[in-house]
Amino acid sequence: MTGVTAAASESGRSDGAVTDVDVVVVGAGFAGIYSLYHLRDLGFTVQVIETGDGVGGTWYWNRYPGARCDVPSLEYSYGFSNELQQEWEWTEIMPAREEIEEYLNHVVDRFDLRRDIKFGTRVTAATFDEATARWLVETDAGDRFSAPFCVMATGCLSAPTMPEVEGRDSFEGRVLQTSLWPREGVDFTGLRVGLIGTGSSGVQATPEIAREAEHLYVFQRTATYSFPAYRGMMDPELQKSFKANPGDFRRRQRRAFAGIAGFGGALGPAQPPERKILETPWEEQLEVLDELGFWAARAWGDVFVDLEANEAGAELFREMIRRTIDDPEVAEALSPRGYPIGCKRLVFGVDYYEAFNRDNVTLVDLRKGAIESITPTGIRTAQGDYEVDVVIFATGFDAMTGALNRIDIRGRDGQLLRDVWAGGARTLLGLQSFGFPNLFIITGPGSPSVLSNMVVGIEQHVEWIGDCLAYLRDHGLRSIEPTLAAQDDWVEHVNQVSEGTMYTAPTCNSWYLGANIPGKPRVFLPYVGGLPAYIERADAVASAGYEGFTLA
Ligand code: FAD
Ligand code: NAP
């Protein structure tokens, strides 16, 4: 490896001097933490830089009440260390935010990783120098790091967005955002709260805030399909059987389409492929509804492959809302219409719909009159004013590209990544982009990432990158970059497999497509072909000496 001239543990210098390391890693969530562990283990010096004051990424920032994972804890955890798997005890099947944050802090301390993480520091720029084939990484604290390799572990859902609502700064109460929640928590007792957004974050927060606040107004622009989340304490026998053979379980995860082996606890009933909703009379559909509740909408082989069948499933879902909600007008307002089930990221909630039967919860259906402005005392809509003490934005993220585009990343010829991606992100395998040698992205656009159990995708990416850096070192090479042709082929393949799915239905507007961000090009960002097919392709590329990449 070239030019290691200073220990990474000095953690940067603000006197303008440049600190040399082998790899700069940006971000200290699941991806950054494992990158540090793995690359250090391979003998590279690594510096991690993290905006937050602690590790955890998603699980550090999203401290809103009710924040919880919807993948079972045994599945949503690292597989790289048997010792770690043997000693860590999960308490719940679907872990709460707090437990995941605790777990990641344990990992960092157990493997002595904290000394190579610089906290409270945002990377502002990364510039590639062609002559030396090194990246210069600069931060808002004035640090300058030079490294041949840069790993962007910046997260797919880490760039929060807040809509530009007129008068927002005039509000005299408190403005909060689910993804930037105060560390000390918030006591809503006696307060009137306005919550904007009914995606996963809004759905999880609604019942929790409703239990505490004097009154909760939920401002809904698009009604969601929220499925009941599974909740329960970990069965000690289940955990024991996992620990008896974690290796086998982890191998099964990588062979599973979404990185979930189906072992760690209930996720919801499976879809029996032979049962077709379009061939089933309404009365018989209702029997399935009696048995499965909201899950009945998905429990058919044709619902995710046929728009007409999907609409039949949606009607069954709406029937369940009518059964759940006391007030028919509220039930109708909560009923999702006009887009298919499965077009957006699945939303899971506990007591979400039931919260709207409470006297202290009001649904404000923005389809009847949009938000016009924030006033000093509340939220003004075309259907009236709502006086509140707190406004909460649960309005999501500039997903998959946002965190990268917020950094001035300059590759060959000084080109900016966000300019190159202005018409849509382009990568080879989601790992690298043409024109940006030695810059790796973990779970980047064009990889299964957000369509799978993300921890599995992250581990696979980190190991692929580790193998690649070791290969370059062993072969006396100093740079790697995709060829334009291989990248174009991959982008075409990513688009092709997304065609005909619910994700790209004409009526679908999701953050997967960038549709939640004004002006963002409508491009389907993740790879929908499944983790096994992806891993097979990535492994084949590596085995063939990094076919489709230029090595120098
Ligand atoms: P992150 O955890 O997002 O970490 C990225 C880190 O990079 C952040 O800490 C950020 O501060 C830092 N960073 C970014 N830019 C910079 C910069 N310029 N300088 C310095 N630091 C920077 N996935 C699932 O598979 N299952 C789930 O149930 C699930 N639930 C989720 C719930 C919520 C509320 C959210 C928001 C996401 C959820 N996800 C879930 C997705 C989740 O993001 C991933 O599972 C995983 O935690 C991502 O880890 P990461 O390390 O890649 O990114
Ligand atoms: P989101 O899914 O993008 O939802 C944002 C919500 O805000 C939507 O209801 C959106 O309405 C609304 N909104 C945005 N701008 C608005 C405006 N100007 N006026 C009114 N409403 C507005 O964001 P999220 O809920 O934070 O979730 C993002 C992703 O994080 C999830 O999809 C998931 O991947 C992950 N997550 C997972 C969990 C979990 O349970 N594991 C929990 C939280 C988050 P429209 O639909 O009309 O745009």
Side-chain angles (χ1 to χ4, degrees):
M1 194 45 51
T2 52
V4 179
T5 58
S9 54
E10 284 174 14
S11 277
R13 305 174 48 171
S14 49
D15 58 3
V18 177
T19 304
D20 286 2
V21 290
D22 293 334
V23 190
V24 170
V25 173
V26 188
F30 268 100
I33 292 169
Y34 184 42
S35 298
L36 171 54
Y37 171 87
H38 187 60
L39 298 177
R40 189 201 270 175
D41 200 42
L42 290 171
F44 297 101
T45 55
V46 183
Q47 177 65 57
V48 179
I49 304 166
E50 167 57 53
T51 309
D53 289 329
V55 298
T58 286
W59 309 104
Y60 167 89
W61 293 107
N62 293 265
R63 295 171 173 268
Y64 61 85
R68 185 177 284 273
C69 187
D70 58 21
V71 173
S73 50
L74 293 174
E75 305 249 15
Y76 191 79
S77 49
Y78 289 126
F80 68 80
S81 156
N82 189 41
E83 292 74 23
L84 174 65
Q85 295 183 105
Q86 295 303 332
E87 70 200 14
W88 183 262
E89 290 281 313
W90 290 103
T91 67
E92 287 192 80
I93 287 185
M94 302 292 177
R97 181 205 74 75
E98 292 80 356
E99 191 167 9
I100 304 173
E101 191 190 26
E102 200 185 318
Y103 168 75
L104 289 173
N105 274 285
H106 169 77
V107 172
V108 164
D109 292 330
R110 188 192 188 297
F111 297 107
D112 187 25
L113 302 177
R114 211 173 285 276
R115 64 184 158 91
D116 286 339
I117 307 175
K118 187 165 201 295
F119 292 105
T121 306
R122 191 169 63 83
V123 168
T124 50
T127 312
F128 187 65
D129 178 50
E130 280 176 66
T132 58
R134 293 179 77 91
W135 285 90
L136 178 69
V137 177
E138 295 169 275
T139 77
D140 62 355
D143 314 294
R144 287 149 63 85
F145 294 96
S146 168
F149 301 102
C150 188
V151 174
M152 290 295 170
T154 43
C156 293
L157 294 159
S158 55
T161 52
M162 194 191 265
E164 288 301 323
V165 187
E166 195 191 310
R168 201 175 64 200
D169 296 339
S170 72
F171 185 59
E172 288 166 0
R174 197 164 179 197
V175 175
L176 297 170
Q177 198 162 4
T178 46
S179 46
L180 295 169
W181 203 259
R183 282 191 96 159
E184 66 280 10
V186 182
D187 181 3
F188 291 108
T189 311
L191 298 179
R192 298 160 304 168
V193 180
L195 171 68
I196 302 173
T198 53
S200 299
S201 303
V203 163
Q204 285 188 329
T206 291
E208 302 293 332
I209 297 172
R211 274 191 270 276
E212 204 171 277
E214 181 186 306
H215 202 96
L216 173 65
Y217 297 92
V218 178
F219 293 83
Q220 171 197 272
R221 190 167 66 180
T222 304
T224 191
Y225 296 99
S226 174
F227 293 89
Y230 186 79
R231 204 52 79 70
M233 300 312 287
M234 176 61 70
D235 172 359
E237 287 307 311
L238 184 74
Q239 188 143 231
K240 217 162 112 189
S241 70
F242 162 73
K243 290 185 182 197
N245 198 351
D248 175 56
F249 166 73
R250 298 296 176 195
R251 278 187 291 279
R252 276 195 283 141
Q253 280 189 311
R254 290 195 188 195
R255 289 198 296 267
F257 190 84
I260 297 176
F263 174 84
L267 281 166
Q271 289 154 240
E274 68 288 353
R275 186 164 68 190
K276 307 275 187 282
I277 195 167
L278 289 181
E279 294 166 6
T280 309
W282 176 244
E283 286 67 29
E284 285 176 35
Q285 291 180 32
L286 291 180
E287 284 168 21
V288 180
L289 193 73
D290 291 339
E291 187 196 336
L292 299 178
F294 284 103
W295 285 99
R298 310 164 37 94
W300 313 89
D302 48 352
V303 157
F304 289 104
V305 292
D306 179 316
L307 274 171
E308 198 190 333
N310 195 286
E311 176 51 25
E315 184 49 32
L316 210 46
F317 189 92
R318 293 189 284 265
E319 173 61 19
M320 191 62 203
I321 292 185
R322 291 189 282 273
R323 288 185 181 187
T324 308
I325 301 294
D326 299 339
D327 181 336
E329 213 178 308
V330 177
E332 179 49 32
L334 283 168
S335 295
R337 289 185 192 280
Y339 71 100
I341 308 172
C343 116
K344 302 191 185 208
R345 165 55 156 89
L346 280 181
V347 172
F348 297 96
V350 170
D351 295 339
Y352 173 65
Y353 291 113
E354 291 78 0
F356 294 95
N357 289 333
R358 295 175 64 109
D359 291 338
N360 72 331
V361 177
T362 302
L363 179 73
V364 183
D365 181 2
L366 297 174
R367 290 173 294 191
K368 294 181 183 147
I371 293 175
E372 290 180 337
S373 63
I374 309 271
T375 69
T377 56
I379 299 174
R380 174 160 299 160
T381 72
Q383 51 189 305
D385 283 6
Y386 297 86
E387 302 278 296
V388 293
D389 305 298
V390 184
V391 174
I392 301 172
F393 286 89
T395 44
F397 302 87
D398 184 352
M400 303 206 67
T401 54
L404 294 163
N405 286 343
R406 287 176 189 190
I407 304 171
D408 291 336
I409 300 174
R410 288 185 191 278
R412 273 190 295 103
D413 307 321
Q415 57 188 337
L416 263 175
L417 185 69
R418 65 172 161 271
D419 289 347
V420 174
W421 284 5
R426 300 184 77 80
T427 70
L428 178 51
L429 293 165
L431 281 159
Q432 280 208 305
S433 193
F434 173 73
F436 298 83
N438 295 1
L439 182 88
F440 294 91
I441 307 163
I442 299 189
T443 62
S447 72
S449 57
V450 291
L451 297 181
S452 64
N453 171 0
M454 287 206 67
V455 181
V456 178
I458 285 168
E459 282 195 313
Q460 185 262 335
H461 264 194
V462 171
E463 286 158 17
W464 193 97
I465 293 166
D467 288 350
C468 176
L469 297 198
Y471 180 94
L472 295 179
R473 180 176 57 190
D474 296 348
H475 290 78
L477 298 162
R478 64 174 198 166
S479 82
I480 179 164
E481 176 190 353
T483 66
L484 190 55
Q487 176 172 289
D488 286 348
D489 285 351
W490 182 250
V491 171
E492 196 184 318
H493 175 61
V494 170
N495 289 333
Q496 205 177 32
V497 287
S498 76
E499 278 166 24
T501 66
M502 294 302 145
Y503 296 116
T504 53
T507 50
C508 184
N509 289 305
S510 68
W511 58 254
Y512 294 135
L513 286 159
N516 63 328
I517 303 295
K520 193 164 172 174
R522 189 182 162 91
V523 172
F524 187 70
L525 291 164
Y527 176 62
V528 76
L531 210 51
Y534 175 85
I535 292 175
E536 197 181 316
R537 179 72 77 96
D539 286 351
V541 162
S543 304
Y546 297 90
E547 190 179 22
F549 289 85
T550 306
L551 277 59

